[in-house]
Amino acid sequence: MPGTFTHQFDSSFFKGNVAVNTGLFINGQWTDSVSKETIDIFNPVDGTVITKVAAANAEDVDIAVKAAKQAFKTSWGLKVPGHQRGRLLYKLADLVEKHQDAIAAVEALDAGKHFIHAKTQDIQDGIKNLRYYAGWADKNQGKTLETSEAKLAYTRHEPIGVVGLIVPWNFPFMIAIWKVAPALATGNAVVLKPSEVTPLSALLLAALVKEAGFPDGVFSVVPGYGAVAGQALAEHALVGKVSFTGSTFVGRKVMETAAKTNLKRVTLELGGKSPTIVFEDADLEQAVKWIVYGIFHHSGQMCAATSRIFVHEAVYDKFLELFTAAAQAVRQGDGFNEDADEGPLVSKAQLDRVLAYIETGKQEGARVVTGGARAGRAGYFVQPTIFADVRPDMRIVREEIFGPVGVVAKFSTEEEVLELANDTQYGLSSYAFTRDVSRAVRVANALEAGCAFINSSALLEPQVPFGGFKQSGHGKEMGEYALEAFTQVKAVHINVGIKL
Ligand code: TXE
């Protein structure tokens, strides 16, 4: 029998017991993995093991996918009218709202987030997306197409069938919802594989999906290692689409696997190294605040982080002074404590990766303005770090660090900075700070990225698509555009008068 993990939270933010089922959730039931293998789940604040969860292997994934296929054929898809699918999603949103403290607490514990951020940002964003797509469930219509009087032609927006959703550890709940909500709204059956590092909130979500009354098999959760459970999902012949968020390396692998198996559809969100331009006419104090949020929030573990910063020479020194002071003011600690602003990195692996990049930056000759080392002995904390006077060829400028490390370079002209900004394999997001509206529009047009934010860092909305250019991936999450990622268009031709 699969176990339950119960944790007593005793913080001024939240007091109470939360129980999480630690099995696999397949076909509406909690179950052990076939192999009985488990994964240790760590608390990033102190590196201790908090619980174990079942680890799915290829056999478990196969069972989940087959159950999903069966559910799709018999009790889901377009058989269930859109308004009914929508009603279930509204109900799920209400349940998430009701249990928001518990979900936020588990998310904070598992991923090393600050409880308040988890509650007021990630979980609220999840609720908004569930309601947004609940509304779309009965509105994703095809078109009637004008051809001739002898023919009726129309399109249907059909679900793909079984979709595999592979999500990372930085925003485990929120990113899962970005995929789950449009996938279910459009009538697909979902097999969700959370990251092996942070599976707990997905397991809580499974319990709420069951309570909401979705038919068995329509939503399964298979926690497991990427190379095992993730790979099995990417390979499976009955999976019609994989929506993946994670590293470029694994994204490439998922596409390759899809190409070698059933040519399943693939959408990818693969992070970035987003250019962040501060022009001489910017409101400097606001720019610094947004950039601090963009690179030090959640210890920089954000795909759209404001990680590659270009500052006009006229305000370079002043910017660095303000940016450094703000970085030094960030209070790191346990996200359940009132005296902490930000938590640790998620894992020992991520800590080692970020520290290795910091060493590389030093060896490459970048100037450490502040930070540049691990913080504390227990837990996976790295000091908010700023490298200045960086060159475009440095690895710390070209590669995604995914930690609290901002790199800053000086520029002289708009033309020069646009060249520098676009000199990257990535293209997820981009930022510019200026009071000149003509320049804002010009720069937003010129930046080679899926998002351009003017005078803010990434403030995402359910209505607005998010997704990359270049090697940051393809396909959009959120907005009407995400419906396309989970549907296939069928053209129906009805001959009402053409004779041969
Ligand atoms: O990601 P992985 P990692 C970037 C970031 C970070 C780096 C490494 O730069 O430092 O990636 O993180 C599953 N087939 N991003 O190694 O491995 C895995 O189980 C199918 C950016 O943790 O890509 C997890 O569920 N799936 C990013 C998911 O992929 C596989 C967020 C992501 O893990 C698999 C996270 C396989 N062969 C990291 N191997 C973003 N875009 O925001 C692993 N997985």
Side-chain angles (χ1 to χ4, degrees):
M1 276 294 287
T4 305
F5 158 65
T6 306
H7 191 86
Q8 171 139 33
F9 292 92
D10 188 20
S11 132
S12 58
F13 300 132
F14 174 60
K15 290 188 202 309
N17 273 323
V18 181
V20 186
N21 206 308
T22 52
L24 313 178
F25 183 74
I26 297 179
N27 207 15
Q29 306 299 324
W30 294 100
T31 151
D32 278 325
S33 60
V34 172
S35 69
K36 304 277 187 289
E37 277 174 30
T38 56
I39 306 170
D40 285 342
I41 305 302
F42 292 88
N43 180 349
V45 166
D46 56 17
T48 56
V49 174
I50 49 178
T51 187
K52 292 175 189 299
V53 302
N57 65 17
E59 246 181 292
D60 300 295
V61 168
D62 184 54
I63 296 168
V65 169
K66 285 182 175 152
K69 186 77 190 176
Q70 185 60 18
F72 177 73
K73 283 204 283 199
T74 57
S75 48
W76 198 237
L78 298 184
K79 281 199 174 59
V80 177
H83 69 92
Q84 282 180 28
R85 298 196 305 274
R87 215 169 60 190
L88 288 168
L89 281 166
Y90 279 125
K91 199 158 172 203
L92 181 59
D94 291 345
L95 286 169
V96 171
E97 192 163 50
K98 181 173 161 195
H99 296 286
Q100 57 180 293
D101 284 296
I103 303 170
V106 163
E107 190 82 324
L109 180 71
D110 197 9
K113 282 177 181 283
H114 197 288
F115 173 84
I116 295 298
H117 298 158
K119 178 175 169 174
T120 62
Q121 296 170 14
D122 303 14
I123 312 302
Q124 300 314 311
D125 181 278
I127 295 167
K128 279 198 244 168
N129 270 281
L130 283 168
R131 293 196 172 127
Y132 174 76
Y133 284 107
W136 266 116
D138 59 1
K139 297 175 193 69
N140 185 27
Q141 295 143 354
K143 295 176 179 169
T144 307
L145 303 153
E146 192 59 40
T147 54
S148 78
E149 294 291 58
K151 181 184 265 193
L152 169 62
Y154 60 91
T155 54
R156 280 162 57 84
H157 294 183
E158 297 186 350
I160 293 165
V162 180
V163 297
L165 311 180
I166 301 177
V167 301
W169 41 258
N170 53 341
F171 293 89
F173 187 81
M174 188 176 92
I175 294 179
I177 297 289
W178 287 358
K179 299 179 191 300
V180 167
L184 291 176
T186 47
N188 296 280
V190 161
V191 178
L192 169 66
K193 197 207 81 64
S195 164
E196 56 271 45
V197 184
T198 55
L200 299 182
S201 59
L203 295 169
L204 275 182
L205 178 66
L208 300 182
V209 166
K210 191 171 170 70
E211 191 178 339
F214 283 82
D216 289 349
V218 160
F219 176 86
S220 293
V221 180
V222 286
Y225 291 104
V228 181
Q231 180 69 21
L233 209 46
E235 278 173 9
H236 206 292
L238 294 180
V239 172
K241 186 241 162 77
V242 167
S243 172
F244 172 84
T245 300
S247 59
T248 309
F249 176 78
V250 175
R252 220 180 275 283
K253 223 170 174 165
V254 168
M255 256 191 116
E256 205 177 304
T257 305
K260 284 186 179 151
T261 54
N262 62 342
L263 278 175
K264 55 178 66 63
R265 288 158 179 69
V266 175
T267 46
L268 304 170
E269 200 273 83
L270 307 176
K273 191 77 182 178
S274 302
T276 305
I277 307 172
V278 181
F279 286 101
E280 64 277 22
D281 65 337
D283 176 337
L284 214 51
E285 282 184 15
Q286 275 298 307
V288 168
K289 284 187 180 168
W290 283 109
I291 293 170
V292 164
Y293 180 76
I295 188 64
F296 299 134
H297 176 57
H298 196 25
S299 288
Q301 300 168 113
M302 295 184 291
C303 44
T306 50
S307 49
R308 206 158 45 98
I309 306 156
F310 301 99
V311 184
H312 190 269
E313 58 192 4
V315 292
Y316 187 76
D317 292 339
K318 184 70 188 162
F319 174 86
L320 271 183
E321 187 191 313
L322 295 173
F323 191 32
T324 304
Q328 289 169 350
V330 174
R331 300 168 309 162
Q332 295 177 315
D334 184 335
F336 288 96
N337 290 345
E338 294 196 15
D339 59 4
D341 303 317
E342 296 294 343
L345 294 167
V346 75
S347 64
K348 175 75 169 53
Q350 197 58 21
L351 173 73
D352 292 344
R353 194 176 287 139
V354 172
L355 290 175
Y357 269 115
I358 289 176
E359 274 320 300
T360 303
K362 290 176 183 169
Q363 280 162 20
E364 287 176 317
R367 175 161 68 94
V368 180
V369 180
T370 186
R374 185 174 179 175
R377 270 193 295 273
Y380 310 137
F381 294 92
V382 168
Q383 297 168 345
T385 298
I386 299 174
F387 282 106
D389 309 337
V390 297
R391 293 188 316 270
D393 61 312
M394 291 176 170
R395 276 187 61 205
I396 57 164
V397 175
R398 305 205 74 78
E399 297 176 20
E400 183 177 52
I401 300 175
F402 229 57
V405 183
V407 302
V408 190
K410 196 185 280 186
F411 73 90
S412 308
T413 66
E414 183 180 314
E415 194 186 9
E416 174 201 1
V417 78
L418 287 173
E419 278 289 317
L420 290 167
N422 289 333
D423 177 21
T424 170
Q425 60 167 332
Y426 287 114
L428 181 58
S429 194
S430 59
Y431 308 92
F433 293 86
T434 176
R435 288 183 168 105
D436 177 342
V437 74
S438 306
R439 173 150 65 190
V441 173
R442 216 165 44 233
V443 168
N445 290 346
L447 286 165
E448 295 168 2
C451 301
F453 290 87
I454 304 297
N455 294 332
S456 84
S457 44
L459 267 188
L460 302 180
E461 316 285 348
Q463 302 85 346
V464 185
F466 179 68
F469 286 7
K470 300 185 188 172
Q471 292 183 45
S472 286
H474 35 78
K476 298 291 180 194
E477 316 230 50
M478 291 185 278
E480 188 176 350
Y481 294 88
L483 301 171
E484 289 169 20
F486 289 103
T487 45
Q488 43 199 357
V489 176
K490 177 181 284 173
V492 181
H493 302 246
I494 299 183
N495 181 2
V496 291
I498 310 166
K499 299 266 193 267
L500 284 181

